[in-house]
Amino acid sequence: MSEIIQYKIQQIIDNGQTIQVSLVEDIQLEPISQKQLMLDAINKKIDPELKEQVLPLIEAIMQSQPTIAVKSYDKTTITITMPKRRYEILGSPRVGEKLEINMKKIA
């Protein structure tokens, strides 16, 4: 079974004859409000009766909390060293550009 994963180039080191490319998995993160994270944590901790009394106050306090991207798991990183010619055949990709890597176990 193969899995095609996109990687974003994080760093390029040109050693003259070889190129070292550091890649990080390109993960799309869903934005979630910090307010929602806090409310979820509060909901788990307080009993229903107390929650009913304090929830309106807590929501008013947290009204201005920003929306942030939450990382759900660690990203895979790969470092590849290749001849400069092979790097040029790939089109000499730059930092921030994406590469697709096909990974599978060979029996």
Side-chain angles (χ1 to χ4, degrees):
M1 179 179 165
S2 68
E3 181 179 0
I4 297 174
I5 304 170
Q6 286 190 0
Y7 288 86
K8 191 181 324 180
I9 298 174
Q10 192 171 40
Q11 181 181 32
I12 298 171
I13 300 172
D14 186 343
N15 296 321
Q17 293 185 357
T18 61
I19 302 288
Q20 184 175 337
V21 181
S22 296
L23 307 168
V24 64
E25 191 174 359
D26 187 34
I27 300 171
Q28 299 299 318
L29 302 175
E30 287 190 28
I32 185 168
S33 74
Q34 208 161 4
K35 173 185 170 185
Q36 190 59 49
L37 289 174
M38 294 168 102
L39 287 174
D40 290 348
I42 290 167
N43 282 332
K44 291 176 187 173
K45 298 288 180 185
I46 359 185
D47 63 77
E49 205 172 291
L50 180 60
K51 182 171 47 174
E52 195 174 300
Q53 293 172 4
V54 298
L55 204 55
L57 176 62
I58 292 169
E59 285 182 343
I61 292 169
M62 293 190 291
Q63 202 62 30
S64 65
Q65 292 298 317
T67 297
I68 58 171
V70 177
K71 187 168 100 172
S72 58
Y73 61 94
D74 292 332
K75 296 178 179 181
T76 301
T77 58
I78 297 175
T79 300
I80 300 172
T81 302
M82 66 182 83
K84 193 168 193 167
R85 180 71 184 128
R86 176 168 296 203
Y87 174 74
E88 290 168 350
I89 290 170
L90 286 174
S92 302
R94 296 285 169 218
V95 172
E97 292 185 327
K98 296 177 186 176
L99 296 177
E100 188 174 271
I101 309 279
N102 184 352
M103 297 183 352
K104 67 179 175 178
K105 179 180 176 183
I106 299 175

